[in-house]
């Protein structure tokens, strides 16, 4: 069969849309393989949603788009990440305020004993929670039923119901059961938020780290340069880490996202004694408070900065954070995926390009695979697909 030459990536140049983690990693791998890469970024800074910057007044490193903790089990990802920054070990601990009391989160043995005012050992607690679970629900149809069938109504209402309602803007009884595949529940006193082998933060913040990834003579970064599909040129492959629907001018409507608004406050000393406090009750309009200096315990600051986080439905002018991915989004997504599959010379990557929630380590792993596939496609004259990691 004759090969479709237009779909074969041209040698030695590539355009990357977005200077977040996905774009930066692909840029680096291609540059190291001898390509000249241009990275277009619509914002006035690199780093995407991982962006950190030092607060001018207090000197505290701020996580501008929400708290970020790097965690991974992948040796390859860890090796790549630590080439570009010194990472400091960091075990994330979250606390939750529910009905005026503070508990460890995820729900641990401490949370269970404190909440029910008991002193259960692990096996007793396991049996106790199993006894609370609603055994009449055999095939859960919603997030709510799923939670009730796993932990019962009391824990669900105290820690998940109000928070989920605020986070997603929808009643948990209307959200699919699939959102809650596995409830983080521990029958030990281990209260680290993550279980991964490597849990750390780059010593000088994420933006410094991503700047080092992009720091290569064959990478040009253009800030405040939104890229549109009109700029895509024959023979120059585009890696698009912007919104998938945005590439097509939102022609069939917008994929739904939740956005976040942060109210920032500065004060003296220590505001809440931990990096993140969740607020579980529905009558508080915010979901959590992040106190930034607790993400850099190796630094010392007299003052503090904390951010109160309010989720809301993302409009055309807002920053997209969490893909909603309900049934109606999936049919719109299917439309854009089909359109993308018919578009030559573009590969959609990252959290916005594939409309999936991705942790940073997954972003890096996928970006490394995408870049490797591109280099392989060039050497074998094979076409590069629209998605190396399909959204559906
Ligand atoms: C609140 C929150 C907390 C998180 N916490 C963690 C955590 O603790 N640990 C973890 O591992 N992960 C966390 N994540 C996930 C992490 O943010 C993502 O993995 C990462 O940001 C994805 O990188 P990306 O490059 O794919 O996308 P982005 O970071 O969104 O980068 C895409 C970039 O493309 C730019 N862009 C878009 N359209 C255009 C265009 N047309 N032209 C030019 N530029 C464009 C955007 O401005 C943006 O800079 C969190 C996410 C959120 C929302």
């Amino acid at each position: 069969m004759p090969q479709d030459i237009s779909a074969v990536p041209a040698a030695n140049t590539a355009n990357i849309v977005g200077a977040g983690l996905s774009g930066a990693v692909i840029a680096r791998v291609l540059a190291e393989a001898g390509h000249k890469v241009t990275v277009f970024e619509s914002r006035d800074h690199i780093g995407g949603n991982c962006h950190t910057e030092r607060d001018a007044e207090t000197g505290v490193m701020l996580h501008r788009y929400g708290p970020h903790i790097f965690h991974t089990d992948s040796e390859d990802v860890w090796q790549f990440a630590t080439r570009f920054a010194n990472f400091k070990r960091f075990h994330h601990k979250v606390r939750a305020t529910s009905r005026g009391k503070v508990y460890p989160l995820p729900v641990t043995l401490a949370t269970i004993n404190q909440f029910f005012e008991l002193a259960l050992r692990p096996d007793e607690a396991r049996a106790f929670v199993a006894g609370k679970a609603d055994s009449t629900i055999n095939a859960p149809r919603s997030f709510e039923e799923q939670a009730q069938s796993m932990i019962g109504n009391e824990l669900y209402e105290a820690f998940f119901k109000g928070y989920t309602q605020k986070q997603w803007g929808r009643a948990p009884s209307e959200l699919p059961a699939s959102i809650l595949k596995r409830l983080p529940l521990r029958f030990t006193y281990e209260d680290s938020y993550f279980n991964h082998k490597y849990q750390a933060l780059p010593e000088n913040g994420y933006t410094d780290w991503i700047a080092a990834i992009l720091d290569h003579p064959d990478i040009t970064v253009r800030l405040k340069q939104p890229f549109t599909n009109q700029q895509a040129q024959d023979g120059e492959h585009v890696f698009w880490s912007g919104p998938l629907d945005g590439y097509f001018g939102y022609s069939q409507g917008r994929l739904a996202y939740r956005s976040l608004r942060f109210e920032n406050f500065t004060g003296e000393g220590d505001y809440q004694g931990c990096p993140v406090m969740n607020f579980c009750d529905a009558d508080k309009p915010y979901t959590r408070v992040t106190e930034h200096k607790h993400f850099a315990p190796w630094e010392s600051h007299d003052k503090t900065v904390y951010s109160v986080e309010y989720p809301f439905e993302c409009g055309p002018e807002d920053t997209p954070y969490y893909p909603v991915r309900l049934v109606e989004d999936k049919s719109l997504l299917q439309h854009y995926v089909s359109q993308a599959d018919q578009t030559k010379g573009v590969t959609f990557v990252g959290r916005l390009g594939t409309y999936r929630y991705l942790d940073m380590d997954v972003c890096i792993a996928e970006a490394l695979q995408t870049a490797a596939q591109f280099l392989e496609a060039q050497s074998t004259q094979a076409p590069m697909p629209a998605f190396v990691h399909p959204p559906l």
Side-chain angles (χ1 to χ4, degrees):
M1 243 177 80
Q3 209 166 56
D4 179 355
I5 300 295
S6 67
V8 175
N12 291 337
T13 57
N15 291 320
I16 295 183
V17 181
L21 199 47
S22 300
V25 172
I26 295 171
R28 182 72 190 206
V29 177
L30 297 192
E32 286 182 354
H35 289 66
K36 295 227 175 291
V37 184
T38 308
V39 181
F40 295 84
E41 171 54 58
S42 49
R43 291 170 174 165
D44 63 0
H45 61 76
I46 62 162
N49 275 17
C50 307
H51 174 57
T52 46
E53 63 189 348
R54 233 173 242 294
D55 179 50
E57 183 192 341
T58 61
V60 171
M61 187 63 81
L62 305 181
H63 294 212
R64 275 290 174 212
Y65 300 89
H68 278 70
I69 301 93
F70 187 82
H71 51 96
T72 189
D73 280 330
S74 161
E75 295 295 337
D76 288 349
V77 167
W78 181 245
Q79 292 305 325
F80 182 88
T82 52
R83 271 179 63 196
F84 302 99
N86 183 33
F87 275 69
K88 296 274 220 184
R89 247 172 75 117
F90 183 89
H91 277 255
H92 190 35
K93 310 245 174 181
V94 175
R95 295 291 178 262
T97 299
S98 174
R99 300 166 191 164
K101 291 188 177 158
V102 177
Y103 302 89
L105 206 76
V107 174
T108 67
L109 191 50
T111 321
I112 295 164
N113 278 333
Q114 204 182 320
F115 182 74
F116 291 105
E117 298 184 11
L118 294 168
L120 302 173
R121 288 183 291 104
D123 285 349
E124 293 168 339
R126 205 181 293 275
F128 178 79
V129 172
K132 294 273 175 196
D134 187 339
S135 57
T136 64
I137 303 171
N138 293 319
R141 286 162 306 176
S142 65
F143 178 106
E144 180 161 280
E145 287 190 357
Q146 181 83 318
Q148 288 166 333
S149 71
M150 290 163 110
I151 54 168
N153 209 43
E154 288 150 284
L155 288 171
Y156 161 65
E157 292 215 334
F159 295 104
F160 299 101
K161 187 176 181 178
Y163 191 92
T164 305
Q165 165 81 50
K166 292 187 286 187
Q167 175 80 354
W168 294 104
R170 290 148 179 92
S173 55
E174 291 164 18
L175 291 169
S178 56
I179 291 188
L180 195 65
K181 288 188 194 98
R182 192 175 58 85
L183 249 181
L185 196 60
R186 291 202 195 120
F187 295 102
T188 67
Y189 289 99
E190 172 55 53
D191 63 351
S192 277
Y193 199 71
F194 300 110
N195 291 319
H196 293 90
K197 177 172 178 189
Y198 301 109
Q199 303 181 38
L201 271 86
E203 187 172 11
N204 294 316
Y206 291 99
T207 298
D208 253 40
W209 171 52
I210 294 173
I213 298 175
L214 287 166
D215 183 17
H216 186 285
D218 288 330
I219 300 177
T220 304
V221 178
R222 300 213 177 138
L223 294 180
K224 296 194 268 185
Q225 296 273 323
F227 190 95
T228 68
N229 60 11
Q230 306 294 316
Q231 288 162 268
Q233 295 192 359
D234 270 359
E236 275 193 341
H237 200 78
V238 173
F239 294 89
W240 178 272
S241 74
L244 171 61
D245 47 355
Y247 186 85
F248 300 105
Y250 305 100
S251 57
Q252 302 296 314
R254 284 175 180 268
L255 293 166
Y257 280 92
R258 295 292 283 168
S259 189
L260 299 175
R261 178 171 68 81
F262 297 98
E263 265 180 31
N264 300 314
F265 300 90
T266 301
E268 297 293 329
D270 192 345
Y271 175 68
Q272 63 183 12
C274 65
V276 174
M277 176 73 74
N278 281 17
F279 288 85
C280 305
D281 301 330
D283 60 359
K284 294 264 188 292
Y286 44 89
T287 44
R288 51 184 187 170
V289 173
T290 295
E291 188 170 10
H292 300 264
K293 73 179 182 183
H294 290 298
F295 285 115
W298 51 89
E299 296 182 1
S300 166
H301 301 281
D302 294 336
K303 291 196 164 188
T304 193
V305 183
Y306 57 96
S307 304
V308 183
E309 184 173 323
Y310 297 84
F312 64 97
E313 206 69 10
C314 188
E317 304 304 321
D318 303 316
T319 306
Y321 279 81
Y322 296 107
V324 176
R325 289 182 75 97
L326 295 182
V327 176
E328 53 275 24
D329 301 310
K330 294 230 177 114
S331 62
L332 187 56
L333 177 60
Q334 179 63 66
H335 170 86
Y336 285 120
V337 168
S338 307
Q339 221 176 331
D341 282 335
Q342 291 160 28
T343 306
K344 302 277 190 311
V346 185
T347 299
F348 295 85
V349 297
R351 63 176 200 103
L352 298 168
T354 63
Y355 192 55
R356 291 173 303 152
Y357 176 83
L358 301 177
D359 275 327
M360 289 182 278
D361 62 327
V362 179
C363 262
I364 294 176
E366 292 194 354
L368 292 173
Q369 286 161 7
T370 301
Q373 184 162 334
F374 179 71
L375 295 172
E376 172 73 16
Q378 282 205 313
S379 68
T380 59
Q381 294 278 295
M384 188 65 188
F387 298 102
V388 174
H389 301 94
L392 286 163

